[in-house]
Amino acid sequence: MQNTNAYVASEKREKIANEGKAAQQLEQILASGLPPLYRRAYRILGNAADAEDTVQNALLAANSG
C-alpha cells in the first residue's frame, strides 16, 4: 500500500513541475508577443485604453476558441 502512495505522490510532484514549466513558457511567449500586439493596436486605434482592451479581448477570444 505504501508503494502505491509513493507512486501517486511522485506523479503529483511531476505534474506540478510540468505545470510550472508550462506557466514559465507561457509567460515568455506573452512577454515577447504582447508588446508588438499592443503597439499595432495602438497605432490602429490611437488610444491606449482601447489598445489594451483590444489585445485583452483578442487573448480571451484565442483562449476560448
Side-chain angles (χ1 to χ4, degrees), residues 2 6 8 15 17 25 27 30 33 35 38 43 46 52 54 63 65:
Q2 274 188 324
V8 170
K15 183 178 178 183
Q25 290 172 338
E27 186 175 324
L30 291 175
Y38 171 79
R43 273 189 235 123
E52 290 174 9
T54 300
N63 187 41

Side-chain angles (χ1 to χ4, degrees), residues 3-42:
N3 288 339
T4 303
N5 290 341
Y7 179 73
V8 170
S10 176
E11 277 187 349
K12 286 181 182 179
R13 281 193 299 274
E14 185 175 317
K15 183 178 178 183
I16 290 169
N18 288 338
E19 289 173 355
K21 289 177 188 174
Q24 278 183 324
Q25 290 172 338
L26 178 60
E27 186 175 324
Q28 289 173 343
I29 291 167
L30 291 175
S32 64
L34 284 180
L37 290 174
Y38 171 79
R39 284 192 302 271
R40 180 165 292 174
Y42 181 78

Side-chain angles (χ1 to χ4, degrees), residues 46-61:
N47 181 298
D50 289 344
E52 290 174 9
D53 288 344
T54 300
V55 172
Q56 182 178 5
N57 289 339
L59 291 172
L60 290 171

